[in-house]
Amino acid sequence: SSTVSAEKDTVDDLEEALKSSFAEKSESEAQEGVFGKNKRRTSTRKKVRTIIESLALCHSVTPTYDEDTEEKAYQASSPDEVALVKFTETLGLSLYERTLTTLTLETPFEKLVKYDILYVFPFSSDTKRMGIILREHSSQQILFYMKGAAASWIPANSRPRNEGWKMDSGQRKRSLPMVIT
């Protein structure tokens, strides 16, 4: 079983940023996409929300509910994926339901947000990554999320230099979310 560990202040900050982003989201923002029209003016709250949403959406986890207690449990091929989904849940963004064709999240304000699963790129040991293409029901916005080992999807000539990326010193398995809207 995987566990999630983070400093309480950090989790509180992330939770507040996520709640604030959902509270301030307007219809026009939904039409503009996650990053808005001007990427430089995107608030930190929106960026935090995007990363948390990517963790809550890009996985193969399925929630199950006990018939007697209604307690939620998660099924997945990887305990790491369950840990990431549980982490987003601690911040207020919960995986509510998943079928073969849909995925539903519950927001910090208990609103359900439904997505159509258009295509899943399953994780494989060859690619060392997985991805998912979704359509958000209310806005009809198409989203692509990808996660995996950075070395598997960042071309060698475009890797950041001198920014804590020591790709040749054993950190090749570092996982990063990629979001394209």
Side-chain angles (χ1 to χ4, degrees), residues 66-81:
D66 184 280
E67 290 180 18
D68 298 327
T69 65
E70 296 184 19
E71 187 174 313
K72 186 185 337 182
Y74 295 109
Q75 293 181 342
S77 58
S78 164
D80 293 340
E81 288 202 321

Side-chain angles (χ1 to χ4, degrees), residues 150-151 154 159-174 176:
I154 298 176
R159 289 186 190 131
R161 306 279 185 233
N162 301 322
E163 295 178 22
W165 288 80
K166 297 176 183 165
M167 299 301 289
D168 296 323
S169 65
Q171 292 186 4
R172 291 188 186 274
K173 293 183 180 176
R174 183 175 187 167
L176 299 172

Side-chain angles (χ1 to χ4, degrees), residues 16-25 29 45-46 49:
E16 179 57 36
L18 182 67
K19 282 182 181 176
S20 296
S21 75
F22 273 97
E24 68 188 25
K25 185 175 180 181
E29 180 184 315
R45 289 180 191 146
K46 290 178 190 172
R49 176 183 170 160

Side-chain angles (χ1 to χ4, degrees), residues 51 54-55 58 121 123-131 144-160 165 167 171-180:
I51 298 223
S54 73
L55 296 174
C58 187
F121 301 91
F123 177 84
S124 77
S125 56
D126 291 336
T127 63
K128 295 180 178 58
R129 63 181 176 255
M130 70 122 0
F144 171 64
Y145 294 101
M146 182 173 71
K147 68 178 181 180
S152 72
W153 55 271
I154 298 176
N157 63 355
S158 68
R159 289 186 190 131
W165 288 80
M167 299 301 289
Q171 292 186 4
R172 291 188 186 274
K173 293 183 180 176
R174 183 175 187 167
S175 293
L176 299 172
M178 177 181 187
V179 181
I180 299 174

Side-chain angles (χ1 to χ4, degrees), residues 29-151:
E29 180 184 315
Q31 299 300 320
E32 293 175 10
V34 175
F35 291 105
K37 289 181 180 177
N38 186 341
K39 291 181 184 180
R40 289 195 173 135
R41 293 189 178 202
T42 301
S43 74
T44 299
R45 289 180 191 146
K46 290 178 190 172
K47 291 175 185 175
V48 167
R49 176 183 170 160
T50 300
I51 298 223
I52 294 168
E53 283 179 325
S54 73
L55 296 174
L57 292 166
C58 187
H59 55 73
S60 61
V61 178
T62 302
T64 59
Y65 296 89
D66 184 280
E67 290 180 18
D68 298 327
T69 65
E70 296 184 19
E71 187 174 313
K72 186 185 337 182
Y74 295 109
Q75 293 181 342
S77 58
S78 164
D80 293 340
E81 288 202 321
V82 172
L84 291 172
V85 168
K86 284 182 176 180
F87 175 67
T88 65
E89 187 172 271
T90 65
L91 300 176
L93 192 61
S94 302
L95 177 59
Y96 181 78
E97 180 179 50
R98 183 181 182 128
T99 68
L100 291 175
T101 59
T102 64
L103 192 150
T104 305
L105 297 181
E106 184 174 7
T107 72
F109 298 106
E110 299 181 2
K111 178 184 174 193
L112 297 180
V113 181
K114 192 170 186 178
Y115 298 84
D116 291 317
I117 300 172
L118 303 178
Y119 193 81
V120 175
F121 301 91
F123 177 84
S124 77
S125 56
D126 291 336
T127 63
K128 295 180 178 58
R129 63 181 176 255
M130 70 122 0
I132 190 166
I133 300 174
L134 304 160
R135 180 184 319 120
E136 199 271 322
H137 268 231
S138 66
S139 69
Q140 294 295 297
Q141 184 177 27
I142 305 281
L143 304 163
F144 171 64
Y145 294 101
M146 182 173 71
K147 68 178 181 180

